[in-house]
């Protein structure tokens, strides 16, 4: 072998080895083993009050070995553009599937930016001795991302609109600081990132960090699901993707810990897909919309809205390595 060929082979070996290391380092987390609970849906509309029309899009948190579920509830109050005003209800469970409901909503619309549409689509995190609940305030014309805080999960102090855009939704806060700042992913067409020192005042990066992709399940809309979690490989965000047929299914994206705008890996296919009648038929058909995920008794529970009418859950077989801190 002559001198040039020898060093060409050495160069190729180095390149191939480097690529294989990079692929190993960025290996996508495999989260294909969530199993839908066989008795879904776990929560349905009931009675004639605040949750008579629909219950859907739940947030979840574990406190003292109890799962608390915060869900969007719709009543039958009328408006010429739609029927139903949204509030946020609460339920709790000690097994993850059978829930006892609190008899009244815990967050109700009261301000101009919340009426007449209501308070929609919560996400919740615990930071320090406070619970932070983001939700969509809808006044009938525009949606605004708003925030409320609580010490006891029942009494909520509203802090107002935190993303002052004409249209903003789906605030998913990472409960741990990155580079000295809290971060939040938000948006309901593209996904953006915002930074905060105090969780109340947010600075937006105007460049989206995640966009829809032609030819994939998420070619129309991407929207954050549950709050992101910090894992060994990066920041894992479960997100909701919609295609041009307006079918919503569940994907994931992995962002860098060093630069939370940087995408390291992303699912090519949804890991939770539409399959059941209660996901396909309801007031908005063909929607499974994930907003709550918790680890509970060694398993992961993923809670989602079904057809904007019901609530379902998918449960992991075990505690997966991809969630390792």
């Amino acid at each position: 072998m002559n001198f040039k060929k020898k060093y060409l082979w050495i160069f190729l070996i180095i390149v191939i080895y480097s690529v294989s290391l990079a692929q190993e380092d960025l290996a996508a987390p495999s989260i294909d083993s969530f199993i839908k609970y066989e008795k879904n849906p776990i929560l349905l509309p009931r009675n004639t009050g605040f949750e008579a029309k629909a219950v859907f899009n739940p947030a979840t948190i574990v406190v003292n070995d109890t799962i608390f579920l915060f869900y969007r509830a719709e009543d039958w109050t009328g408006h010429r553009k739609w029927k139903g005003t949204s509030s946020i209800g609460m339920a709790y469970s000690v097994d993850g599937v059978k829930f006892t409901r609190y008899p009244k909503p815990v967050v109700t619309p009261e301000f101009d930016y919340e009426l007449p549409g209501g308070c929609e689509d919560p996400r919740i995190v615990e930071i320090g001795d406070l619970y932070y609940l983001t939700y969509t305030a809808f006044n009938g014309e525009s949606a605004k991302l708003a925030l409320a805080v609580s010490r006891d999960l029942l009494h909520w102090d509203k802090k107002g609109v935190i993303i002052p855009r004409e249209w903003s939704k789906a605030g998913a806060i990472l409960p741990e600081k990155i580079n000295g700042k809290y971060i939040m992913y938000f948006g309901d067409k593209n996904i953006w990132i915002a930074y905060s020192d105090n969780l109340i005042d947010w600075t937006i990066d105007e460049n989206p960090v995640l966009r829809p992709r032609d030819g994939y399940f998420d070619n129309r809309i991407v929207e954050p699901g549950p709050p992101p979690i910090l894992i060994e490989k990066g920041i894992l965000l479960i997100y909701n993707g919609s295609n041009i047929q307006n079918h919503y299914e569940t994907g994931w994206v992995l962002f860098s810990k060093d630069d939370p705008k940087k995408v390291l890996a992303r699912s090519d296919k949804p890991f939770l897909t539409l399959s059941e009648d209660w996901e396909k038929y309801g007031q908005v058909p063909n929607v499974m919309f994930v907003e709550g995920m918790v680890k509970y008794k060694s398993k992961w529970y993923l809670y989602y809205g079904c057809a904007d009418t019901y609530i379902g859950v998918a449960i992991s077989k075990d505690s997966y390595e991809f969630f390792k801190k």
Side-chain angles (χ1 to χ4, degrees):
M1 181 180 293
N2 62 36
F3 180 84
K4 288 185 178 179
K5 286 186 177 180
K6 177 181 177 182
Y7 279 90
L8 177 61
W9 277 107
I10 292 173
F11 174 75
L12 289 174
I13 290 169
I14 291 172
V15 169
I16 292 169
Y17 180 68
S18 299
V19 169
S20 67
L21 281 180
Q23 288 176 339
E24 181 180 351
D25 288 344
L26 300 183
S30 174
I31 47 181
D32 297 328
S33 297
F34 278 92
I35 306 300
K36 293 177 183 178
Y37 179 53
E38 61 183 6
K39 294 183 181 180
N40 275 340
I42 59 171
L43 236 61
L44 294 87
R46 67 172 187 171
N47 301 335
T48 58
F50 76 99
E51 55 185 355
K53 183 184 179 187
V55 292
F56 57 112
N57 295 1
T60 45
I61 196 165
V62 176
V63 180
N64 296 330
D65 292 325
T66 300
I67 294 179
F68 289 85
L69 193 76
F70 294 85
Y71 56 92
R72 177 178 171 183
E74 281 187 348
D75 63 21
W76 284 104
T77 59
H79 184 273
R80 67 183 182 86
K81 289 187 178 181
W82 70 87
K83 290 182 179 179
T85 296
S86 295
S87 57
I88 296 174
M90 189 268 282
Y92 60 91
S93 173
V94 293
D95 66 5
V97 294
K98 297 176 183 177
F99 281 85
T100 299
R101 303 189 218 201
Y102 192 66
K104 301 183 295 185
V106 294
V107 178
T108 57
E110 52 186 317
F111 299 112
D112 289 345
Y113 62 86
E114 300 171 323
L115 289 166
C119 303
E120 307 174 350
D121 300 352
R123 278 92 171 162
I124 188 170
V125 292
E126 181 181 7
I127 300 174
D129 59 355
L130 290 176
Y131 302 100
Y132 292 81
L133 185 85
T134 60
Y135 66 96
T136 299
F138 185 52
N139 69 0
E141 299 295 335
S142 64
K144 304 285 189 183
L145 184 56
L147 177 74
V149 301
S150 175
R151 294 185 183 276
D152 62 6
L153 299 177
L154 285 178
H155 303 92
W156 292 89
D157 177 18
K158 292 180 180 179
K159 299 300 183 182
V161 174
I162 58 172
I163 299 294
R165 288 181 166 184
E166 185 62 27
W167 190 274
S168 59
K169 299 181 74 174
I173 297 171
L174 179 69
E176 301 164 87
K177 285 185 176 181
I178 298 291
N179 300 326
K181 299 278 187 181
Y182 291 108
I183 65 168
M184 176 174 65
Y185 297 104
F186 73 95
D188 71 331
K189 182 175 181 182
N190 301 315
I191 294 177
W192 286 268
I193 190 170
Y195 302 89
S196 178
D197 293 315
N198 59 11
L199 297 161
I200 306 297
D201 304 299
W202 294 87
T203 300
I204 303 167
D205 189 313
E206 295 296 340
N207 297 307
V209 296
L210 203 72
R211 299 176 185 267
R213 301 171 291 179
D214 290 339
Y216 289 85
F217 72 98
D218 52 7
N219 59 20
R220 189 179 74 92
I221 281 176
V222 291
E223 181 172 347
I229 60 173
L230 204 58
I231 63 172
E232 186 177 39
K233 294 179 182 295
I235 302 168
L236 181 68
L237 177 69
I238 306 298
Y239 71 90
N240 300 290
S242 169
N243 63 19
I244 56 174
Q245 287 80 37
N246 206 33
H247 293 185
Y248 280 82
E249 296 181 311
T250 309
W252 57 262
V253 59
L254 189 68
F255 292 101
S256 167
K257 292 180 184 178
D258 298 321
D259 180 2
K261 298 182 294 184
K262 182 180 179 182
V263 174
L264 300 180
R266 183 176 178 179
S267 55
D268 289 335
K269 298 179 180 180
F271 71 91
L272 275 183
T273 60
L274 294 161
S275 61
E276 309 301 325
D277 286 347
W278 51 83
E279 299 163 354
K280 297 177 180 179
Y281 303 105
Q283 65 171 337
V284 181
N286 295 308
V287 173
M288 67 179 328
F289 200 87
V290 175
E291 287 189 23
M293 182 172 68
V294 290
K295 187 177 182 181
Y296 187 64
K297 297 180 180 178
S298 82
K299 295 186 178 182
W300 288 88
Y301 289 69
L302 200 55
Y303 294 90
Y304 60 95
C306 310
D308 279 13
T309 308
Y310 316 106
I311 292 173
V313 63
I315 305 169
S316 67
K317 290 181 179 178
D318 48 34
S319 182
Y320 291 114
E321 283 297 309
F322 72 89
F323 280 125
K324 187 168 64 174
K325 292 284 186 178

